[in-house]
Structures are given as structure tokens and as C-alpha cells.
Amino acid sequence: MDFQKILDEIQEDVQPYFGKGAVADYIPALARVSPDQFAMALRLADGTEYSVGSAETPFSIQSISKLFSLMLAMDIMGEDLWTRVGREPSGTAFNSLVQLEYENGIPRNPFINAGAIVVTDVIASHSANAPRRVADFVRQLSGNDQNRVDEEVALSEWEHGYRNAALANLLRSFNNITGDVDSVLDVYFRQCAITMNCLDLVRAVQPLVLGGHSPIANRQVLTQREAKRVNAIMLTCGLYDAVGNFAYSVGLPAKSGVGGGIVAVLPGQFSIAVWAPELDAAGNSLVGTRALELFTTKTGLSIF
Ligand code: GLU
């Protein structure tokens, strides 16, 4: 299959979709991002890579970081992690407080904010320098030392993070956060503020393609079983409240972030990442979703 030709075609095909969404505007650093950017990268299981557009331009990974912190927390706690966070889609907004209250402080899944904050607490309580640990892990997986925390974004997350602070305090009241609330939030905001590009992302998620093995870090990052489980959670919980539509139209386990990035995998075959900053009403990259849909349609490659 001529993957480069397919990516080039997709870049052309998505042009009419620019201008139909809106960049995230809850913090100034994201609101300033130029909306007309586009990148796509593909990495096959044998290490061959293809890309189109600004595949080396770093962007704010935001909620895609929840995927890396989950991998880290599974490595730390194993199955015990699931006593503190569930594995069901939430059917509510990613930052909702209501469900957490009536489900007694056990978040539905690790990809809504409440669940990600619990995962962050697991990492924080098992690390000498937790803020560094997530970023170090990402750098190991991507092989790119330039993947750093954007301090301006991290600070803005703090300044506008009332709802996340409310979630963290509610979790603390249920004893589902063991550490100091502000320290846990600091780690959470910093992981959201990590910057990566599309090529970094397709390299960093290779353990989800290769049964837990990272060819970049040259080690087994997850067991094969854990990799399967992370993929299952991506499929059922990775796209905010649009996960059903995404499975329907794209058909790949994926994780998105409000920076406009989406990373997806076909286990055993490839990882693919797309970045286009304008979001749809659910908070997923509008052009990015369309590009991934075109990719699975043109290639006939999806988990279904
Ligand atoms: N930093 C954002 C928040 O916690 C993450 C947004 C996202 O990508 O979902 O609100």
C-alpha cells in the first residue's frame, strides 16, 4: 500500500473542513494557536514511518498525557489500580463532578479528569520527583529530549483549574487521593502541558502496537495483557463523550486532547497521529477525526 500517497491525499481531502471548528479557548496559551495547522504521522510495526504536514511541530498534548500516565500507573500498581478507578465510559463531560459524588469517589475511567487525577496520585505517591517522572517517561518512549512541559500552559492550567481543583478535593474527601491535593494537581497540570509532535506520538505509543514493547526505549514497558487493556480503554473511553461515534466512523482505539491531537493504534500493525487544532463540539479535533476516518476508509485497516 502506498501510505505516503494516502496521507498526501488526506491532507488535500480535509481542506474543506478547516474553519468549521474552534480552537480550545479556556486558557490564553491554547487560544492563540493558529487554527490552520495540520499534521499526520504513521508508524508501522516494522518501524517504517510516513508523515505529511507539520509533523515535527510540537503542540500541547493535553489529555493525550492521560494515556502515558495510565501506562505508568499500571506498571506501578498492576491490577490493584482498578480498585480506585473504573473502566466504563462515563457518558458525561470529561470534567463532570456530579457522577463522582454519587459513585462515591470512584471515577468511571482513567481518561476523564477525575480518573486521571487518581492515576496522577498513584504516580505521585510512588515517585521521588513526580512532575519529572511523567515527562521522563514520555521522553523515553518518544526518544525526543525536546518533549518538555510548557510552563506557560502549566501555569494557565493552574489559574483556570477551578473544576479540576474541585474534583481533586472531592476525591480527597473520599480518600481516593492519598497525597497533598495541590501537589497532585501540580503533577496533573504539568502532564497536560507537555508538548510533543505527531512523529513523537506515533513512536511513543508503539508499546500499544507491539504487545507492550517500546522499540525506542528498547524495553518492555507493559505486559502484553496490559497493552491489550489500555487499548480496550482507549476504544471505550478515549474520545470524551463522542467515543461511540469515533468507533463507528474511524474504528481504532485512540486518545484525543484539546490541543487538537489524536493518537490511534491498530494493534500489531501501526500507530497513527494527527494534529489540527480546531475542535468539534465534543472537544475532539474536527479535521483530525475526519482525517483518521479517511485513513481507515482508504486503507480498509481498522480493528473491525
Ligand atoms: N488540561 C485540561 C483539563 O484538565 C485537559 C483538557 C483535555 O485535553 O481534555 O481541563
Side-chain angles (χ1 to χ4, degrees):
M1 203 152 353
D2 189 344
F3 286 113
Q4 189 59 52
K5 183 162 169 280
I6 290 169
L7 293 189
D8 292 340
E9 273 173 26
I10 291 173
Q11 187 179 29
E12 287 301 309
D13 293 350
V14 295
Q15 292 309 314
Y17 294 90
F18 282 93
K20 295 196 189 306
V23 299
D25 59 0
Y26 71 99
I27 56 174
L30 291 183
R32 271 201 306 276
V33 172
S34 162
D36 53 358
Q37 304 182 81
F38 179 78
M40 213 167 178
L42 170 72
R43 182 178 165 113
L44 307 183
D46 69 4
T48 317
E49 293 180 342
Y50 304 87
S51 66
V52 68
S54 317
E56 291 184 66
T57 303
F59 57 88
S60 194
I61 63 168
Q62 292 293 323
S63 276
I64 297 174
S65 65
K66 293 170 180 160
L67 181 56
F68 300 115
S69 54
L70 174 63
M71 288 161 73
L72 208 44
M74 283 178 87
D75 188 40
I76 293 170
M77 267 188 92
E79 287 294 301
D80 289 347
L81 180 64
W82 307 116
T83 60
R84 293 180 57 185
V85 59
R87 304 182 294 251
E88 289 292 346
S90 71
T92 59
F94 70 103
N95 56 5
S96 168
L97 282 145
V98 179
Q99 197 171 51
L100 187 63
E101 166 75 354
Y102 67 69
E103 295 190 353
N104 301 315
I106 305 294
R108 275 288 175 100
N109 69 67
F111 291 156
I112 52 173
N113 284 15
I117 291 168
V118 169
V119 165
T120 304
D121 179 62
V122 168
I123 297 168
S125 59
H126 289 82
S127 314
N129 184 341
R132 270 202 68 153
R133 188 159 178 191
V134 182
D136 280 347
F137 184 57
V138 164
R139 284 190 283 268
Q140 274 177 27
L141 293 182
S142 69
N144 185 352
D145 276 352
Q146 300 304 311
N147 295 155
R148 291 180 190 285
V149 173
D150 180 330
E151 294 297 337
E152 189 198 347
V153 172
L155 188 65
S156 278
E157 298 280 357
W158 260 117
E159 287 169 356
H160 297 80
Y162 304 111
R163 196 167 261 275
N164 287 320
L167 286 168
N169 279 290
L170 193 52
L171 287 162
R172 185 76 189 79
S173 79
F174 282 109
N175 291 320
N176 201 7
I177 280 189
T178 53
D180 169 64
V181 166
D182 280 359
S183 310
V184 172
L185 282 171
D186 186 51
V187 181
Y188 173 74
F189 290 138
R190 282 168 170 277
Q191 75 176 41
C192 288
I194 292 173
T195 61
M196 298 175 79
N197 64 39
C198 280
L199 281 163
D200 296 329
L201 281 172
V202 292
R203 292 168 189 161
V205 300
Q206 282 288 302
L208 303 177
V209 178
L210 301 174
H213 184 261
S214 165
I216 315 285
N218 197 20
R219 68 183 173 91
Q220 195 73 21
V221 174
L222 297 171
T223 64
Q224 183 155 14
R225 206 165 162 218
E226 286 167 342
K228 183 198 86 176
R229 291 180 165 180
V230 173
N231 285 333
I233 297 165
M234 285 166 82
L235 184 72
T236 52
C237 310
L239 279 294
Y240 305 115
D241 214 5
V243 74
N245 276 329
F246 190 90
Y248 180 88
S249 58
V250 177
L252 295 173
K255 183 72 200 88
S256 62
V258 295
I262 307 177
V263 65
V265 298
L266 181 56
Q269 299 215 35
F270 64 77
S271 53
I272 188 162
V274 62
W275 172 54
E278 288 180 320
L279 307 178
D280 62 19
N284 296 311
S285 172
L286 190 148
V287 173
T289 304
R290 185 73 193 128
L292 290 171
E293 184 180 352
L294 283 166
F295 183 82
T296 53
T297 303
K298 283 173 188 281
T299 60
L301 298 170
S302 85
I303 61 165
F304 303 112

